[in-house]
Amino acid sequence: MSENRQDLSPAAKTAPDQQHPAWCDPSRCTADPSTQADGYRSGAGGEHRSADLPLAVRPAVWPTPDRVEAFLTEAIAPWRCTTFLRITADGEEVASIPAESAAPILAALSELVASAVADWEVER
């Protein structure tokens, strides 16, 4: 890869991003870009993390977890990392989906559920 191409590619940055994403919650964030200054080491830099979003899944068919939460997370590295939507049930991870994949999935699920709610309201 030529030097010019590296300069133009945002993915080819070698300096850690010092900015926190807008969704990053400082009280949950463990990102430390300075740990990557002398070269990338997997797992050494921590991660940006959003606040937990509690998901109300009750009432539901048993067994329903007591606590279901969703949050965003993004590793820290000298390049742009993928942001993931993570869903946990009683502290155990049940889903980890790249945000760019989660958005159309959630939009499709919203449409599906909206049609069920609309049918239910018509039948009322």
Side-chain angles (χ1 to χ4, degrees):
M1 188 182 289
S2 73
E3 284 295 318
N4 289 340
R5 178 158 176 132
Q6 285 180 350
D7 291 342
L8 296 174
S9 172
K13 289 182 181 175
T14 56
D17 183 3
Q18 298 292 329
Q19 301 297 314
H20 292 270
W23 49 262
C24 187
D25 180 349
S27 69
R28 298 184 186 274
C29 180
T30 61
D32 182 4
S34 68
T35 64
Q36 305 300 317
D38 296 323
Y40 175 71
R41 292 177 315 287
S42 178
E47 66 182 352
H48 297 291
R49 193 177 184 294
S50 73
D52 292 332
L53 173 65
L55 303 176
V57 295
R58 291 183 182 259
V61 177
W62 184 88
T64 304
D66 289 327
R67 192 179 79 242
V68 178
E69 298 168 326
F71 60 91
L72 296 174
T73 182
E74 181 182 299
I76 184 74
W79 50 83
R80 176 79 167 110
C81 294
T82 300
T83 301
F84 285 88
L85 169 65
R86 300 203 195 266
I87 300 173
T88 62
D90 291 336
E92 298 291 324
E93 187 172 294
V94 294
S96 181
I97 307 166
E100 63 270 13
S101 298
I105 291 169
L106 293 172
L109 288 172
S110 292
E111 286 183 38
L112 182 63
V113 171
S115 68
V117 169
D119 284 349
W120 183 78
E121 289 175 350
V122 167
E123 293 175 6
R124 257 173 110 182

